[in-house]
Amino acid sequence: MADKSATQRQEDGDSAAEISEVGWEVFCKLCLCEQPTTATRELQSCNCVFCVACLQQYVQLAIMEGGGAPITCPDMACQKSGVLLDSEIASLVSEGQVELYQRLSFERGVKLDPSKAWCPVLECQAVCSLQPSTEGQPGAVPCTTCRAVFCSACRGAWLDGHACSEQQPMMSPSHGSRPHGDADLPIKQCPVCGIYIERNQGCAQMLCKSCKHTFCWYCLQNLDGDIFLRHYDKGPCRNKLGHSRASVMWNRTQVVGILVGVSIVVLVTSPLLLLASPCILCCICKPCRAKNKKKKRKKDLSQPDSSTS
């Protein structure tokens, strides 16, 4: 009896060790698989949990295609809109990729900062500070590194009697007032995150790849909740969506059809589920009853054996 109890304790200890090593499983929304907690990582900004392998691939892709933009939580339904910290990025990718991300992030910060500019001299490439000029007109910018002087608008050499071809006020994208000619520009900045977006052709409803913000290309108005695209029915952007009226109506018909179809399915299946609920409960309870009967039989068989011993 002592030997049996010792072996049983050893087996229990081994099973407990295996459970502690494996741990509880967590569902990863990226690979759609359950992973042990030892192979997962929790983001500090939003507390979302993903497996380490998926996070590594996601961060590598975000560095290569994000252009230095902040790496957000890969969960599209994240309520906190978490952003990965620099320490988390460094622990998921190699040192070379971390240096690449820091360089791209710095270059993006210079591009988005209206008070900074790159020196146009190829051998220099220093960051120069732009001094605000009168009425927002271009002015001379001296480089403290190579001593070159260039125009703040066209980046050309500043000479006596310089005539810049871009005689327009220099304005930050955060300002509300914009020139009327900006509607035809091929490159604009996202009104939320400020990343540069180029539109070659197609629809005027734009989706920012960095912050997933939907907006109108012409007036930069928010279109996140406009599923029927009513913004292009009136106002200055009327009939500027880039699609024909028939295609817009067909899109709206599809959206309405999907909503109506889902509601019909819910209305039809709800009474059927109520009628079938007793059968479902019986089917669920039958295996439970069979298991309970088997347990009672085992207990009844084990009781006479213990009495004889």
Side-chain angles (χ1 to χ4, degrees):
M1 294 293 290
D3 296 338
K4 290 183 179 180
S5 61
T7 54
Q8 187 176 2
R9 290 176 182 174
Q10 186 176 1
E11 290 177 357
D12 294 341
D14 294 339
S15 62
E18 291 176 359
I19 293 174
S20 63
E21 289 177 0
V22 175
W24 297 98
E25 291 185 347
V26 179
F27 181 76
C28 178
K29 293 184 179 180
L30 295 179
C31 61
L32 304 179
C33 297
E34 292 185 354
Q35 302 290 344
T37 54
T38 55
T40 58
R41 178 75 61 85
E42 181 180 0
L43 302 182
Q44 298 181 15
S45 58
C46 59
N47 299 328
C48 294
V49 181
F50 307 94
C51 64
V52 178
C54 292
L55 280 178
Q56 289 176 346
Q57 296 179 3
Y58 171 74
V59 173
Q60 290 175 2
L61 184 63
I63 292 175
M64 297 302 296
E65 297 185 358
I71 302 177
T72 58
C73 176
D75 187 4
M76 296 291 294
C78 180
Q79 298 180 355
K80 297 182 180 180
S81 301
V83 178
L84 273 72
L85 304 178
D86 293 338
S87 58
E88 294 176 333
I89 297 174
S91 62
L92 293 171
V93 296
S94 61
E95 295 182 359
Q97 289 180 329
V98 172
E99 294 178 357
L100 175 62
Y101 175 72
Q102 291 176 351
R103 180 172 60 83
L104 293 175
S105 179
F106 176 75
E107 293 177 355
R108 178 176 179 273
V110 174
K111 289 180 180 180
L112 297 180
D113 192 349
S115 63
K116 295 180 181 179
W118 293 99
C119 178
V121 180
L122 296 177
E123 294 80 7
C124 179
Q125 290 295 310
V127 179
C128 305
S129 58
L130 301 179
Q131 299 296 331
S133 58
T134 58
E135 298 180 357
Q137 296 296 325
V141 180
C143 178
T144 57
T145 303
C146 64
R147 304 300 178 182
V149 181
F150 59 93
C151 177
S152 60
C154 65
R155 302 298 190 267
W158 187 270
L159 302 174
D160 294 337
H162 176 73
C164 181
S165 59
E166 301 184 10
Q167 292 287 340
Q168 58 182 1
M170 301 177 61
M171 301 177 65
S172 173
S174 60
H175 289 80
S177 58
R178 292 181 176 86
H180 296 286
D182 286 355
D184 300 329
L185 293 177
I187 299 176
K188 293 184 180 181
Q189 290 181 264
C190 174
V192 175
C193 65
I195 194 171
Y196 285 92
I197 300 175
E198 181 179 5
R199 176 176 178 263
N200 296 326
Q201 58 182 356
C203 182
Q205 183 190 22
M206 306 301 295
L207 175 64
C208 180
K209 190 177 180 181
S210 177
C211 63
K212 308 298 184 298
H213 174 65
T214 307
F215 62 95
C216 174
W217 176 258
Y218 297 103
C219 63
L220 304 181
Q221 183 175 341
N222 184 10
L223 299 179
D224 288 333
D226 191 3
I227 60 175
F228 294 105
L229 301 177
R230 295 180 179 178
H231 172 71
Y232 299 96
D233 292 341
K234 57 184 179 179
C237 299
R238 178 182 173 86
N239 298 329
K240 288 186 177 182
L241 180 60
H243 298 283
S244 62
R245 189 69 179 176
S247 62
V248 175
M249 296 302 295
W250 174 244
N251 180 34
R252 294 177 179 177
T253 305
Q254 287 180 332
V255 174
V256 173
I258 292 172
L259 296 176
V260 173
V262 171
S263 60
I264 292 174
V265 170
V266 172
L267 291 175
V268 171
T269 56
S270 56
L272 296 176
L273 291 175
L274 291 175
L275 294 174
S277 57
C279 299
I280 296 172
L281 292 174
C282 293
C283 295
I284 293 173
C285 293
K286 282 182 180 180
C288 297
R289 292 175 182 175
K291 289 181 181 179
N292 293 330
K293 289 181 179 179
K294 289 181 180 178
K295 289 181 181 180
K296 288 181 180 180
R297 289 177 183 176
K298 289 181 180 179
K299 289 181 180 180
D300 295 337
L301 294 173
S302 61
Q303 285 179 357
D305 294 338
S306 60
S307 61
T308 53
S309 60

